[in-house]
């Protein structure tokens, strides 16, 4: 018998999911398919309407619904507390790199819902974009990962920059990554509080130049923690 695990069954609502607890005694594909048979037909259809990649090329999806369900799950599932879930509305959010994406999502354990937050002002009719990867990586690495993992070649506004502009963007993103790595040494005494706050300012400036704002909350909290630790 395989270890006990938690699976979250897809529902049509953006942030709610049904958690199934039990022993896994069959393959993941069979378990997911069985779980789908227990939901309303409209919910099940919404799940099967989602896109997927890495389906076995020697199989026909219509003849192998279990494998198709597994491919959809592997392509669209996100962490949800101690479990993993597929949220059909959120799963339809497309990807954007660094300054291109405008929303992020997080799981609220106390409410058992997935919430999508805006990172910046969004105009009516503007597409909501999240990110599927660490967008501080260089363009070539981002594109390679996205093509291998999700099956598409990224043409977001950041990846579509001219080569010269892209090199400048990559340089800023690498500098941000390096500064975060340096900042992390404050916790082990590698740098003092004054330098740590200086690094926060440098990161903030670079992120302003790049339009990369998804980590502002974390950065503000880190700065407050450093300041409080050196308040004396």
């Amino acid at each position: 018998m395989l270890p006990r695990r938690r699976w979250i069954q897809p529902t049509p609502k953006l942030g709610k999911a049904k958690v199934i607890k039990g022993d896994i005694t069959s393959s993941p594909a069979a378990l997911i398919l069985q779980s789908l048979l227990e939901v309303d037909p409209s919910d099940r259809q919404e799940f099967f309407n989602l896109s997927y990649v890495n389906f076995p090329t020697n199989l026909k999806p219509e003849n192998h619904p279990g494998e198709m369900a597994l491919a959809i799950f592997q392509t669209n599932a996100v962490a949800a507390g101690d479990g993993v879930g597929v949220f059909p509305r959120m799963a339809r959010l497309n990807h954007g790199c660094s300054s291109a994406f405008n929303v992020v999502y997080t799981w609220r354990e106390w409410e058992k819902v997935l919430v999508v937050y805006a990172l910046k002002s969004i105009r009516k009719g503007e597409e909501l974009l999240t990110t599927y990867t660490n967008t501080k990586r260089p363009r070539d690495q981002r594109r390679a990962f996205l093509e291998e993992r999700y099956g598409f070649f990224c043409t977001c506004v950041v990846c579509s920059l001219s080569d010269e502009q892209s090199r400048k963007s990559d340089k800023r993103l690498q500098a941000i990554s390096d500064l975060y790595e340096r900042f992390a040494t404050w916790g082990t005494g590698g740098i003092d509080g004054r330098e740590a706050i200086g690094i926060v300012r440098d990161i903030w400036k670079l992120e302003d130049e790049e339009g990369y704002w998804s980590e502002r909350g974390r950065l503000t909290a880190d700065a407050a923690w450093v300041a409080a630790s050196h308040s004396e």
Side-chain angles (χ1 to χ4, degrees):
M1 182 177 294
L2 296 177
R4 180 179 294 271
R5 298 181 63 184
R6 297 176 69 201
W7 293 82
I8 296 181
Q9 194 164 316
T11 72
K13 295 183 179 180
L14 174 64
K16 295 185 177 179
K18 181 179 178 182
V19 179
I20 301 173
K21 298 180 180 179
D23 293 333
I24 299 176
T25 57
S26 58
S27 70
L31 175 66
I32 294 169
L33 185 59
Q34 179 59 43
S35 299
L36 287 167
L37 294 175
E38 298 173 6
V39 303
D40 292 337
S42 60
D43 295 354
R44 185 162 59 249
Q45 186 59 51
E46 189 162 11
F47 175 89
F48 278 109
N49 284 339
L50 294 174
S51 61
Y52 56 91
V53 294
N54 298 325
F55 186 83
T57 56
N58 61 323
L59 302 179
K60 292 184 177 180
E62 60 271 21
N63 295 336
H64 297 273
E67 294 299 329
M68 181 179 176
L70 178 60
I72 291 172
F73 189 88
Q74 291 175 330
T75 302
N76 296 281
V78 297
D82 293 333
V84 180
V86 173
F87 302 83
R89 290 187 185 177
M90 189 282 293
R92 293 189 179 279
L93 295 177
N94 284 324
H95 165 85
C97 294
S98 65
S99 61
F101 70 96
N102 51 22
V103 299
V104 293
Y105 55 86
T106 186
W107 174 254
R108 285 185 182 172
E109 183 64 30
W110 63 94
E111 295 181 73
K112 303 298 182 185
V113 297
L114 192 79
V115 181
V116 172
Y117 292 96
L119 293 171
K120 58 187 79 173
S121 297
I122 300 173
R123 298 185 304 275
K124 182 178 180 179
E126 183 179 353
E127 183 179 12
L128 301 182
L129 297 173
T130 188
T131 183
Y132 299 171
T133 183
N134 173 10
T135 61
K136 291 197 292 291
R137 293 187 290 185
R139 178 172 66 179
D140 290 347
Q141 291 183 21
R142 298 194 306 266
R143 279 178 161 172
F145 171 82
L146 292 167
E147 192 160 17
E148 178 182 358
R149 178 67 177 82
Y150 294 101
F152 70 89
F153 183 78
C154 188
T155 57
C156 74
V157 294
V158 179
C159 284
S160 298
L161 292 171
S162 67
D163 288 344
E164 181 180 358
Q165 290 176 315
S166 183
R167 282 192 292 270
K168 291 179 180 178
S169 174
D170 287 349
K171 185 177 180 180
R172 284 191 295 268
L173 293 170
Q174 184 60 56
I176 292 170
S177 294
D178 292 343
L179 286 168
Y180 268 118
E181 187 173 337
R182 177 67 176 165
F183 179 82
T185 65
W186 170 77
T188 57
I191 58 175
D192 60 22
R194 186 181 298 275
E195 183 176 352
I197 293 298
I199 289 174
V200 169
R201 293 194 181 100
D202 291 341
I203 293 174
W204 197 279
K205 180 180 178 181
L206 284 168
E207 289 182 342
D208 266 345
E209 294 174 4
E210 181 66 20
Y212 187 84
W213 300 328
S214 63
E215 297 174 343
R216 284 294 168 86
R218 165 192 167 187
L219 192 60
T220 301
D222 286 344
W225 181 255
V226 173
S229 298
H230 294 274
S231 59
E232 70 279 359

